[in-house]
Amino acid sequence: PKPSGDELRAETVGTKNGQVISRLPSPAPHRYYVAAAPSGNDRTFILAAAGTRCLTWFYRVTFAVNGRLASGPALIGHAVAGRAYGQAPIAVSANGKLLAYSTSRCTAKGARNYYGQVGVTGLSAPLVREWRFRWPAQPTSLSLSADGNVIELVRDRKSVV
């Protein structure tokens, strides 16, 4: 995602010359992309989108060999509570079956008891597992093992996940 005024947009950019190849359309009215992760091959990606409500939605996009949009954005499953932001708040397993995410509440009220969650969900199935975390934790740099059985993340060592 790349900043564009007061919202973000997703683009594909050629690595040889830095030129924009394709710009993705807004996923829905009042929603904007906040993160992207590759999904099992070199042309399919999962994008996280936020909006005016404190929710995060996930979309699948596929690109042609030339980097242009081939299909999508297609909504995947249901929205999850909170906003995905920070460094690498989403990750997809190498087999393309599971999505990990980290989202935070949009208000600090009650943050010492519950500030957000880390979750793992199937890309074609319902929620698999979710863990809450407390302030000051903000898990980032999510990564999943190839089969999605292990999640790696970076967090404050004093926080509870």
Side-chain angles (χ1 to χ4, degrees):
K2 180 178 178 180
S4 172
D6 61 352
E7 63 179 47
L8 301 176
R9 65 177 180 228
E11 300 176 332
T12 56
V13 177
T15 58
K16 290 183 180 179
N17 59 16
Q19 297 296 313
V20 173
I21 298 169
S22 179
R23 286 192 175 97
L24 276 67
S26 175
H30 310 290
R31 290 186 196 164
Y32 53 93
Y33 299 112
V34 294
S39 175
N41 65 48
D42 61 348
R43 296 189 334 191
T44 303
F45 291 80
I46 304 300
L47 289 93
T52 55
R53 296 170 45 197
C54 191
L55 297 169
T56 297
W57 294 265
F58 302 106
Y59 294 86
R60 183 185 323 267
V61 295
T62 303
F63 295 96
V65 174
N66 64 4
R68 301 228 178 261
L69 185 63
S71 68
L75 184 62
I76 300 171
H78 62 284
V80 297
R83 286 237 171 92
Y85 61 88
Q87 292 182 318
I90 64 172
V92 179
S93 60
N95 64 13
K97 294 182 179 180
L98 294 174
L99 167 70
Y101 60 87
S102 174
T103 60
S104 296
R105 292 173 53 167
C106 296
T107 176
K109 185 178 180 181
R112 295 223 178 265
N113 295 321
Y114 162 56
Y115 186 65
Q117 57 273 332
V118 172
V120 178
T121 187
L123 287 172
S124 59
L127 180 69
V128 174
R129 183 77 190 218
E130 196 170 77
W131 303 269
R132 289 183 169 190
F133 59 84
R134 299 179 190 165
W135 179 261
Q138 173 61 49
T140 61
S141 300
L142 299 183
S143 181
L144 278 174
S145 61
D147 62 5
N149 285 329
V150 177
I151 185 172
E152 177 276 331
L153 53 86
V154 175
R155 67 179 174 93
D156 181 295
R157 67 185 175 106
K158 296 178 184 177
S159 62
V160 176
V161 176

